[in-house]
Amino acid sequence: MGHKPLEGYRVVDLCVVWAGPFATMLLADLGAEVIKPENPFVFQPGTRGGMARPPQAVLNVAAAWSGGYPGNVPGPRPWNYCPTFVSLYRNKKSFTVDLRRPEGMDVLARLVARSDVVYENNATDTLEKLGITYDWLRRAREDIIFLRAPAYGSSGPYANARALGVHLEGVMGHSLLRGYHDAGPSENTAIYSGDYMAGTQGAFAVMAALWHREKTGEGQLIELAQAENAAAMFTQALMDYSLNRTIQPAIGNRDIFGHAPCGVYPALSPGTAATMEDRWVSIHVQGDAQWAALRRAMGNPPWAADPRFESIAARAANHDELDRYIGGWSAGLDDYEVMRRCQAAGVAAMPVLEASRMFDDPHLRARGFFRRQRLQDAGEHEYAGPMWRLPETPVEFAQPPVMFGEHNDHIYRELLGMDDTEIERLRAAGHIATAYDPSVP
Amino acid sequence: MQAFDDVVVLDLTHHIVGPYATRLLAAYGADVIKVEPPGGDIARRLPPFRQPRAGDVPRADGSAPPRQRHGAPVTAGGEPTTRDHDQSLETSGLFLYLNTDKRSVVLDLRSALARDALRRLAERADIVVENHAPGTLDRLGCGWDFFHAVKPSLSLISISNFGQDGPYRDFKASDLVMYGFAGEMYSMGSTDREPVKMAGTAALFESGSAAAVAATGALFASRRFGIGQHVDVSIAETHAGGVDRRHATAIAYQFSGRRTLRASGSGSGMPQGIYPCADGFVDFTNAGGRPERVADMIGEQWARDPRYLDRLSRLNADIVDEWNAHFIPWCLERTKREVWAEARRARVMCGPLFSMEDIFTDAHFRDRGFWHTVQHPVMGEVEMPGRPFIMARGGWQVRRPAPLLGQHTSEVFHDAGMSDAEIEALSITDAAHAEQEAR
């Protein structure tokens, strides 16, 4: 087997929900050994699903991306199947331990002593309540790298605010900047792009600290305030205010740099939005030459020669009307056909793919993007692939989304070197399990 | 001392994704040599531009300041250090943010002399990052084979819309087009309308952030094991495999056959989604999962009705409507900051919808040092978002503002061991090409 960029580094994953687990998954993809301690008596909502044992009725009303469990049933071990969970837990190890008890903290200390990185993104006081602080970790391992990713940082009036990505994006301006330009923000669908930023940059931060440690021998504490981190996505709006005191409006699907036309247009659809069979194609024309190319791709319709569409400024000023004309053309065509005609002319256009259609896309297929993984009780499925290709140190999906306590034996026996007596004692005390305690809903 | 201060990045990127990736490396110490074509990175021509203000100093010769293509005149300030220079290329706030801490050299890669100069830079580099259309660098004679021959441990990070191979390799794209194709745009918006994207070019910043991780992974492989490789970052795949619900919507379909409906808001709940308040809006997505805390936040008797606290009766749409009929007036009597303060006290998930003005003036972010002021020779004093994360050691620093076009050409090539005459020859080649272009 070849090398992996981060082989030999061990990461303790004390993460919850999405942003932290995304970061540790990227580190695992690059070869780090990521180990997640999990508590059989405490369920963290949003991580292994909304509930450990969700009633069927709860799954039925949840959005597909959170409630679409295998076969549409909770199954025998529902904590292993939530779509958002399985998306973030490949290549990781899981073992169980109750950190609320001293012997559980002792297990964690022994693990930390053998680790390089501890990563967490809990609400600000969660780990303190358990007694896990940077100083405590350093007593176990002097050069430990401890990354904390609170929502708003560990200081200031918002330090204790509870938040998911969607809330801190509201605070950082995204919710007012996005959405239809002619509808209020309460129409906005909840999204979590802040988790994407914090996850990728948390992984990057860990690597920066490892690089620093290799040179100096020093570990350290890193604080990644997710709100501050997410701000970069809105650079244009932040800089416009900073430079000019201009508050940019929501522009929907229009081009932030002023090019036109730029939008999402109807395509020939086998069904409706209600059945999730409506089809759309995005078209983004950048410059007059591309506008001329789009006119050709549309078959040079007479309306397109109108002087109201002659220049960028004119097209931007008459954008709604332009949209109606283009939509009239695209609505009669398959979305991939619009793509082919536009791209052949050199115009950016792609179908807006509902997720299930990704699996039929010829390009993603040709690239070998999807990866098959087998999950106990659920069977084999195709999963979205890795985020990049490093051909000499490839990302492998060696460990499928990890089951609760799957690596108990490996961690306790091989990594921590415990004997049968010690392991049996911890098992009898409820630390070692492969299911949540029955008291956990 | 900074974490990556022993790393040299040869940066052949432009626009947003690539420059954001290398900007992260630069922010933590890497020496990023930004190679720009004679006309400069396209981002120099992208808004927002610094608009003229009262108090701007007129130019010494009394002439009007040069006008940006999109209409923003620039102010007088320091002069570029190397060659005759168009100041209109130095007022983009986007370019400033993306290229802080980099050094700029101008090279016209179409000339053989420039490729020799590029070889000198590559010899000293740890990684090369580029985002030209696939095949472009190969055609110019400075693709993967070129860099691999310079130094086997050197990695080339190629960022492109759809990757270095496959049927869409040469397709055009943009933030809208990429996010619609590969991100979770389909389910964003109203059921009776078209899907709608994220703000601005958020999707491109996400991809840049992902590319920084890939580039750093390649750095580790190179430094630890001497492995050089041609890394392929497809912007499409950074979204298709990304955390913002797309990989989950995909596997949810595989698991259950269920597709994700495009629907406004985020479902119903107590509370759930975005609510109006006295001076704007507050977001309570997923806050309903902790009913006791919500009742505590509201602090009124009605909120403690057992029907509102019971796990199953809370799924009843009539009860949700009844609860919201109480809750909406409660929000409307309070400002967004007041609502958030109550939510924070009761540990309820909530976020007010801030405008850029709210963020800019907010004491929490100011006091924490979110904003950083740079002195730019043309734009003057500029406040911009600062550190993306805080390292106790070897962390973020601003060493220099974004470079003027070609500001460091002479300095960088001297460092690479070239003579004045060789450097001069390069700029003559550039000028000849520029003339050729003009004809």
Side-chain angles (χ1 to χ4, degrees):
Chain A
M1 208 177 81
H3 286 294
K4 301 289 182 207
L6 300 181
E7 71 185 44
Y9 294 120
R10 186 171 290 136
V11 178
V12 179
D13 179 337
L14 298 177
C15 297
V16 293
V17 195
W18 295 5
F22 187 45
T24 55
M25 182 177 77
L26 299 179
L27 295 170
D29 280 357
L30 292 172
E33 182 186 19
V34 175
I35 299 172
K36 182 173 177 61
E38 308 201 62
N39 193 329
F41 301 94
V42 178
F43 189 82
Q44 297 156 319
T47 307
R48 282 183 175 272
M51 305 165 72
R53 297 176 173 89
Q56 184 75 49
V58 169
L59 290 191
N60 294 347
V61 298
W65 52 263
S66 72
Y69 282 42
N72 273 316
V73 293
R77 284 167 275 268
W79 49 81
N80 288 337
Y81 319 130
C82 181
T84 58
F85 172 78
V86 299
S87 304
L88 293 170
Y89 281 85
R90 65 172 179 254
N91 291 336
K92 299 185 188 180
K93 295 187 169 103
S94 161
F95 80 105
T96 61
V97 60
D98 182 359
L99 295 180
R100 299 168 308 169
R101 289 184 271 167
E103 69 271 22
M105 285 292 281
D106 181 55
V107 169
L108 182 65
R110 290 165 73 170
L111 175 62
V112 170
R114 291 163 174 78
S115 299
D116 304 282
V117 177
V118 177
Y119 199 118
E120 74 103 359
N121 67 320
N122 297 268
T124 34
D125 50 359
T126 307
L127 291 195
E128 276 76 5
K129 281 182 195 157
L130 293 168
I132 302 169
T133 62
Y134 178 49
D135 286 340
W136 183 85
L137 294 169
R138 283 184 68 188
R139 284 199 289 278
R141 169 91 183 211
E142 170 61 27
D143 63 352
I144 197 76
I145 291 163
F146 185 29
L147 190 145
R148 314 197 70 171
Y152 301 97
S154 59
S155 63
Y158 309 152
N160 293 314
R162 262 47 179 181
L164 296 172
V166 67
H167 305 109
L168 57 92
E169 284 179 59
V171 173
M172 298 321 289
H174 198 185
S175 303
L176 288 180
L177 285 170
R178 69 187 178 93
Y180 302 114
H181 69 278
D182 55 355
S186 53
E187 292 292 303
N188 286 351
T189 312
I191 65 163
Y192 302 86
S193 51
D195 293 80
Y196 191 114
M197 291 295 276
T200 45
Q201 287 184 40
F204 174 77
V206 165
M207 289 194 281
L210 285 168
W211 197 270
H212 178 82
R213 199 192 69 178
E214 292 296 333
K215 291 190 295 187
T216 63
E218 297 173 341
Q220 64 175 297
L221 175 66
I222 304 169
E223 176 173 309
L224 186 154
Q226 293 186 38
E228 294 173 349
N229 186 265
M233 284 188 291
F234 322 118
T235 293
Q236 291 94 334
L238 284 164
M239 292 307 294
D240 212 358
Y241 191 84
S242 173
L243 288 169
N244 305 314
R245 301 294 184 266
T246 299
I247 297 181
Q248 293 192 350
I251 54 171
N253 289 325
R254 302 270 162 87
D255 178 42
I256 192 173
F257 302 125
H259 285 296
C262 177
V264 172
Y265 303 94
L268 201 58
S269 300
T272 66
T275 58
M276 291 151 276
E277 294 171 305
D278 55 333
R279 295 197 173 165
W280 303 87
V281 59
S282 60
I283 301 174
H284 194 161
V285 167
Q286 303 186 64
D288 288 330
Q290 288 191 13
W291 168 238
L294 178 63
R295 286 171 61 181
R296 285 195 301 278
M298 293 189 295
N300 287 313
W303 60 261
D306 192 309
R308 284 172 310 154
F309 305 138
E310 202 166 27
S311 66
I312 292 173
R315 290 193 295 279
N318 298 293
H319 210 309
D320 288 340
E321 193 176 356
L322 186 55
D323 282 348
R324 281 191 291 277
Y325 278 120
I326 296 172
W329 168 70
S330 65
L333 296 169
D334 180 73
D335 50 1
Y336 274 95
E337 180 60 22
V338 174
M339 173 195 86
R340 277 188 288 272
R341 291 189 191 186
C342 288
Q343 293 284 0
V347 173
M350 293 302 288
V352 177
L353 288 187
E354 184 276 315
S356 70
R357 297 180 68 211
M358 281 208 316
F359 295 98
D360 300 322
D361 183 79
H363 178 80
L364 293 173
R365 280 277 159 222
R367 296 260 300 165
F369 174 65
F370 302 103
R371 301 284 182 98
R372 300 194 79 84
Q373 296 186 105
R374 174 170 285 281
L375 192 62
Q376 192 185 10
D377 310 320
E380 192 171 297
H381 297 96
E382 282 192 308
Y383 290 71
M387 305 241 289
W388 47 67
R389 289 183 179 186
L390 283 75
E392 302 300 322
T393 57
V395 175
E396 293 171 78
F397 284 25
Q399 161 73 44
V402 70
M403 292 183 299
F404 189 74
E406 184 176 347
H407 299 91
N408 280 336
D409 199 55
H410 173 79
I411 302 298
Y412 281 107
R413 199 176 301 275
E414 289 170 41
L415 186 59
L416 301 180
M418 291 187 183
D419 60 21
D420 289 346
T421 318
E422 208 171 357
I423 289 172
E424 272 320 303
R425 189 173 53 80
L426 288 169
R427 194 185 307 280
H431 289 282
I432 301 179
T434 53
Y436 282 95
D437 187 79
S439 65
V440 175
Chain B
M1 165 159 212
Q2 288 185 279
F4 291 123
D5 62 9
D6 57 340
V7 171
V8 177
V9 179
L10 181 53
D11 183 358
L12 306 181
T13 69
H14 56 277
H15 199 242
I16 295 173
V17 179
Y20 185 54
T22 55
R23 192 267 180 275
L24 287 168
L25 285 158
Y28 291 89
D31 181 13
V32 176
I33 311 290
K34 182 179 179 71
V35 176
E36 299 190 67
D41 178 350
I42 178 72
R44 293 182 180 275
R45 296 182 173 79
L46 294 177
F49 302 109
R50 184 196 184 281
Q51 305 293 339
R53 299 173 199 156
D56 281 349
V57 184
R59 286 158 71 91
D61 63 1
S63 67
R67 285 203 143 268
Q68 251 298 346
R69 192 160 65 88
H70 286 266
V74 302
T75 57
E79 290 300 317
T81 53
T82 50
R83 56 182 75 185
D84 290 342
H85 194 88
D86 179 358
Q87 292 208 348
S88 71
L89 296 173
E90 309 297 353
T91 66
S92 164
L94 175 65
F95 181 86
L96 177 71
Y97 181 80
L98 289 170
N99 295 284
T100 298
D101 276 323
K102 301 178 187 177
R103 296 196 285 169
S104 165
V105 305
V106 172
L107 265 188
D108 187 333
L109 295 177
R110 291 168 299 185
S111 84
L113 273 182
R115 278 192 299 282
D116 287 341
L118 191 68
R119 181 176 293 112
R120 304 259 197 143
L121 299 181
E123 282 164 1
R124 302 159 59 87
D126 296 283
I127 49 169
V128 186
V129 188
E130 66 99 6
N131 66 338
H132 292 79
T136 304
L137 288 187
D138 285 331
R139 279 197 296 280
L140 291 169
C142 52
W144 167 240
D145 294 341
F146 170 86
F147 289 112
H148 192 57
V150 170
K151 191 163 60 174
S153 65
L154 188 60
S155 282
L156 172 65
I157 319 302
S158 286
I159 303 166
S160 60
N161 291 326
F162 295 96
Q164 298 296 310
D165 55 37
Y168 305 165
R169 186 188 90 140
D170 300 323
F171 277 13
K172 295 272 197 303
S174 70
D175 64 295
L176 169 74
V177 165
M178 297 307 308
Y179 188 60
F181 172 68
E184 192 46 35
M185 188 166 111
Y186 170 84
S187 69
M188 276 174 67
S190 304
T191 315
D192 57 356
R193 292 187 67 165
E194 72 280 10
V196 65
K197 75 180 185 78
M198 296 191 287
T201 56
L204 300 184
F205 281 92
E206 289 183 344
S207 296
S209 189
V213 181
T216 312
L219 266 178
F220 272 82
S222 170
R223 186 67 61 95
R224 297 178 82 199
F225 309 116
I227 295 171
Q229 52 189 323
H230 187 191
V231 177
D232 182 0
V233 180
S234 151
I235 293 172
E237 287 163 20
T238 64
H239 288 286
V243 67
D244 188 4
R245 297 161 302 139
R246 170 52 42 144
H247 62 179
T249 56
I251 193 60
Y253 174 76
Q254 292 277 325
F255 275 1
S256 67
R258 285 176 64 185
R259 301 182 171 101
T260 296
L261 179 74
R262 180 171 63 258
S264 305
S266 46
S268 76
M270 303 160 51
Q272 176 70 321
I274 296 175
Y275 289 78
C277 62
D279 62 344
F281 298 89
V282 285
D283 191 333
F284 278 106
T285 299
N286 288 23
R290 303 277 194 178
E292 297 289 347
R293 293 184 186 179
V294 171
D296 177 33
M297 171 186 79
I298 295 165
E300 292 175 9
Q301 196 48 45
W302 65 263
R304 305 211 172 270
D305 186 323
R307 294 172 307 143
Y308 300 155
L309 301 174
D310 176 72
R311 193 175 288 281
L312 286 177
S313 72
R314 290 166 53 79
L315 297 174
N316 181 322
D318 290 338
I319 290 188
V320 173
D321 286 348
E322 183 188 303
W323 185 90
N324 276 311
H326 287 295
F327 185 62
I328 290 168
W330 184 88
C331 289
L332 288 170
E333 285 164 12
R334 290 164 177 80
T335 65
K336 60 192 177 223
R337 287 179 183 277
E338 287 167 353
V339 171
W340 196 24
E342 292 297 329
R344 292 200 304 271
R345 176 188 57 73
R347 296 182 296 154
V348 170
M349 288 197 288
C350 171
L353 269 51
F354 275 3
S355 70
M356 287 298 137
E357 183 179 17
D358 292 329
I359 297 163
F360 195 76
T361 56
D362 186 89
H364 174 93
F365 295 114
R366 291 238 156 244
D367 293 349
R368 277 181 51 82
F370 172 74
W371 295 96
H372 184 84
T373 302
V374 294
Q375 280 293 335
H376 185 271
V378 174
M379 302 170 83
E381 196 169 271
V382 182
E383 280 194 285
M384 50 192 266
R387 71 283 185 286
F389 51 86
I390 304 165
M391 295 173 76
R393 297 190 170 104
W396 182 89
Q397 270 179 42
V398 170
R399 292 164 288 157
R400 56 173 70 87
L404 306 176
L405 178 60
Q407 182 178 347
H408 306 95
T409 302
S410 174
E411 165 188 318
V412 165
F413 287 122
H414 272 136
D415 288 354
M418 287 171 64
S419 68
D420 287 339
E422 287 173 306
I423 296 168
E424 185 58 26
L426 276 177
S427 62
I428 290 166
T429 320
D430 288 350
H433 272 295
E435 226 166 85
Q436 216 173 350
E437 288 268 284
R439 279 203 301 273

